[in-house]
Amino acid sequence: MQNKSRLILVSILLAAGATLTLTGIFLGDPMTLFQKAVFVCLECMGLG
């Protein structure tokens, strides 16, 4: 019985993680994150 409840919990967490990841991708968060990373990198080199 414990293995079944653990499997259900893992399945729910995996589904929630996939849903949130896809939502972030569709909202354009990867591009925002990339732009911030580039800005920080340029600042460290003294170009920003």
Side-chain angles (χ1 to χ4, degrees):
M1 189 67 174
Q2 185 179 0
N3 286 339
K4 187 175 181 179
S5 62
R6 182 177 176 151
L7 179 63
I8 291 171
L9 177 63
V10 168
S11 298
I12 290 171
L13 291 175
L14 185 62
T19 301
L20 291 173
T21 300
L22 290 174
T23 302
I25 289 171
F26 287 132
L27 291 177
D29 284 340
M31 185 54 72
T32 303
L33 183 65
F34 180 71
Q35 289 172 345
K36 288 180 182 181
V38 168
F39 182 71
V40 167
C41 221
L42 291 175
E43 266 189 354
C44 286
M45 292 188 298
L47 300 176

